[in-house]
Amino acid sequence: MEETHVGISVEVNGRPHRSTVEPRTLLVDYLRDDLGLTGTHIGCDTGQCGACTVIVDGQSVKSCMVLAVQADGAHVRTVEGLAQDGRYHAVQQGFWEKHGLQCGFCTPGFMMQSVQILEDNPDPSDQEIRDALEGNLCRCTGYQNIVEAVKAAGATIRSGAETMALGTGVGA
Amino acid sequence: MAVATPTRAFGASIRRREDPRLITGRGKFTDDIHLANAATAMFVRSPHGHARIVSIDTSAASAHPGVLGVYTFENVKGFISGMPCAWPTTNTGDTLKLATYPPLADGKVRYFGEAVALVVAVDPNTAADAVDLVHVDYDPLPAVINNEAAVAPGAPLIHDSAPGNQAFRWSLVGGDTNGALAHADVRISQTLVNQRLIATPLETRCAVADYNPASGEVTVWVTSQNPHIHRLLIALSTGIPEHKIRVIAGDVGGGFGAKIPYYAGEALCIFASKELGVPVRWSESRSENYVATAHGRDHIQHIEVGATKEGKITALKVTAYASLGAYPSTAAPGVPTWLFGCIIQGPYDIPNNEVHVIGVYTNTTPTDAYRGAGRPEATYMLERVIDLVAAKVGRDPVEVRRLNFVKKDQFPFKVANGTLTYDSGDYELALDQALHTVDYTHLRAWQEEQRAAGKLVGIGFSSYVEICGLGPSSAANAMGFAGGLYDSATIRVHPTGKVTVFTGVHSHGQGHETSFAQIVARDLGLKVDDVDVIHGDTDKVQHGMGTYGSRSAAVGGGALHMAGMKIRAKAQKIAAHLLEVAEEDIEWVDDAFRVKGSPDKAKTIPDCAFAAYMAGNLPAGVTPVLEEQHWYDPENFVFPFGTHICVVEVDRETGETHIKRYVAIDDCGEIINPMLRDGQVHGGIAQGIAQALWEEAVYDENGQLLSGSLMDYAIPKASVMPHLELGHTVTPSPHNPLGVKGIGEAGTIASTPAVVNAVMDALSPLGIHHIDMPLRPAKVWAAIDAASH
Ligand code: FES
Ligand code: FES
């Protein structure tokens, strides 16, 4: 079987990786199984749920719809790479403060898509947010607090305010 | 020692303590467990709804490089021969026929997707290849899908052990329903279909089993709402001693009932790990989840109602055909019987009512609890009935609800069939608050204007009461549930005063790591950040019954509060000793024991904990350390209630329903964390609206599941959900230690009929009085079209 494997090099969250994969390996399986980055989840087998959303070269994609070999030479950003310099990303903070997650299984995908939404437009309306989340499914929240979370994150980004440090408690 | 500022944690909308790991990608879901040398299990599944297995040829798969084992029923039956049913429901006389539920098909397949063979290989790709190499020769049989057709004469027989495909007949009778029907001013007959649904937690089911041949111990990571029940059922079905089994349900990506049952998948991972001497992992695909994980609902109800000309309901008779699917799943027989029939009169004083349930086998995926479990079937039926009665007698549905409500001064209220005593309630209060929120008078005026302009707009109501906080063990036993329904808590105060709590219930989105810390923080005068909550690991946590039936806050939280009071009682002795006063001379104020009359002389729980661990200066008879446990068996269920109002516009041209406004007033007693409470209601309403408008598991006549993926089964997206307006009233449960009632299922139970009633109100000028769910545009359009010709 070895002769069918292909070499790829991918930068994930700023770190370079060289790997050999079967051509049929999906990017999501490569991230989870080969690199151990299990924050990216799998919720379906038809490209519907968005739990696997990551950002490849600045564009959010469903990593179950991309082969690992297609990411050769690309920069990939996953949920593990959202927090920077010991601080939460504004989107993470928004989801935390607005109770934008319950079981948390869909959350990494929603957050990566939300990063994309706010990069495209840091001040979206409720309906724009709902429409832009078309490719992500959540079974727990009914979406209302996810919309609030994205709005809160947009406000944080627009204000340039510092986000919470990792390790911050609930403060109560 | 300085005294901390009083905590206001209980009742505050604090953000969740479980979130930091989940928003940074550091959650540990079952599929994230990667053990060295682990093999991958996959299943060969039936492409037929009903067929005899002529032969299974595993030779090509077994010979495939990288395949470690291929197994059929014959190979596994010595390890596990059947999946146990834990709720052999009572009140069925001698009719109960619990068919054997083999872990792999035994000579016959009875539903599309039933597992026929197990393949274990070195990696997922190899396992997938090997699944395709297993050749099964089937002799297809006629299938039966419809619940009534299944028990009709001449239907294909699914189990030899269940003649006529009947699983049981179950009845509850209160008053004289036939007599009251005979004397009623008005009578209504109606058939309602409560369609089959698929729970669809975003995380499918997974299991990882690691059997240690040297010690005979097995560790199983599993997507479970109730790890101790899983451990017990694994022990009973496989013979592995219970104390050698460790079940871990870490982060679980939603359950909604579908992760209560014990399934063959996890059992066979244990089998394969034992057989092969390596860890074995299995992870459902979504398509597999849709056939292999329990479905919900699936009732056909025939209803007869009698009422006075004012709309007071005097008699209600329901005959329901409920599908168990092809086999009896873990809790399945209890769902359409006790959880449905007990609450048949809902929040209304209906003195004569009877319910008869015929449990049937069909060639479909087994059913089990799905969010609300039994209570949505009752509530939908009753709320449709109220509107049909209102239409018949020509009164406002609000007034008919009010007329029939159990009144505030009737509590505690015993239902007509004698099974339940509602603890407390004020149904009119929630109704009035909902009416006030929507400004009902103006809303009806607006509706008239819209109708005059040719628009189809409707206003729908749903008032409900549910049975939560399952439940007293004596009641559970009497209903045939094979377990008690108490729950447990251990509170370990460490020497520094930091606390670890062990709870027997399980959190898979509910946020117990936060809300339970809020309970303990209040009881012990601590900060929420100082309390950690542990759940989901049978080696860490004392026995517990897990999470379903909105029981966590009421029963698990109740246990926690009682354990906290035991901590306080012991600490009080220590505090008095340290303060050198008599125990009666100190009192608990806010967050510390204080000397009466000189409140500055005080000892906190951390002060007492330190002394308890130093242990050299304790009062006589007080043992070292500060750790307590409590087992709480509630004296009654708890009964949350409320009223939801939905406003819709139906597009005449397309049949599409647009929700213009949605108001939910729920009463779950005391509220621990309003933000989390609202989250539960939001998610519940989304699922309930989805049943009303979109979701349906559809089989063809051969038993193929046509809605077998997220492309065909319509769970709601953000863009189709309305903004929800929530409110609450607070009627504490008088018998619950915290006064709480439970909120996890309320939204789902209430919203389905609110939406359907709204659509029917919108269509009523056309003379349309009922359409079965889901109210998809094509179906509604067809009804509009037919009505206008
Ligand atoms: S796992 Fe990629 S869209 Fe569902
Ligand atoms: S939080 Fe559970 S699926 Fe979204």
Side-chain angles (χ1 to χ4, degrees), chain A:
Chain A
M1 291 188 290
E2 279 305 315
E3 68 276 13
T4 63
H5 282 52
V6 192
I8 57 171
S9 59
V10 189
E11 191 185 290
V12 182
N13 300 327
R15 195 172 146 193
H17 295 272
R18 285 177 180 285
S19 315
T20 52
V21 296
E22 270 192 72
R24 62 174 158 174
T25 302
L26 302 173
L27 177 58
V28 66
D29 291 327
Y30 171 69
L31 293 169
R32 289 179 54 81
D33 299 344
D34 292 39
L35 303 187
L37 294 172
T38 54
T40 302
H41 296 151
I42 302 169
C44 74
D45 46 10
T46 49
Q48 247 75 34
C49 77
C52 62
T53 304
V54 300
I55 293 178
V56 178
D57 290 335
Q59 187 61 46
S60 67
V61 299
K62 292 178 173 175
S63 61
C64 73
M65 302 301 280
V66 177
L67 296 170
V69 293
Q70 291 175 286
D72 186 25
H75 298 266
V76 179
R77 194 171 181 200
T78 71
V79 62
E80 288 92 345
L82 274 186
Q84 297 281 323
D85 304 324
R87 296 203 168 268
Y88 288 107
H89 188 284
V91 164
Q92 291 172 308
Q93 180 169 308
F95 272 74
W96 193 12
E97 288 193 320
K98 296 297 178 188
H99 189 31
L101 61 149
Q102 290 183 24
C103 76
F105 193 80
C106 70
T107 312
F110 269 94
M111 291 195 303
M112 299 316 288
Q113 183 62 20
S114 301
V115 168
Q116 176 83 58
I117 293 170
L118 295 172
E119 272 170 17
D120 294 347
N121 172 11
D123 194 11
S125 69
D126 281 28
Q127 197 54 47
E128 284 170 336
I129 294 169
R130 287 181 184 269
D131 290 343
L133 291 173
E134 187 73 8
N136 292 74
L137 295 175
C138 173
R139 192 56 157 168
C140 297
T141 63
Y143 302 103
Q144 189 144 323
N145 287 345
I146 291 180
V147 174
E148 295 303 319
V150 178
K151 277 159 58 181
T156 305
I157 289 168
R158 294 197 306 278
S159 73
E162 197 167 60
T163 54
M164 284 188 283
L166 296 176
T168 306
V170 299

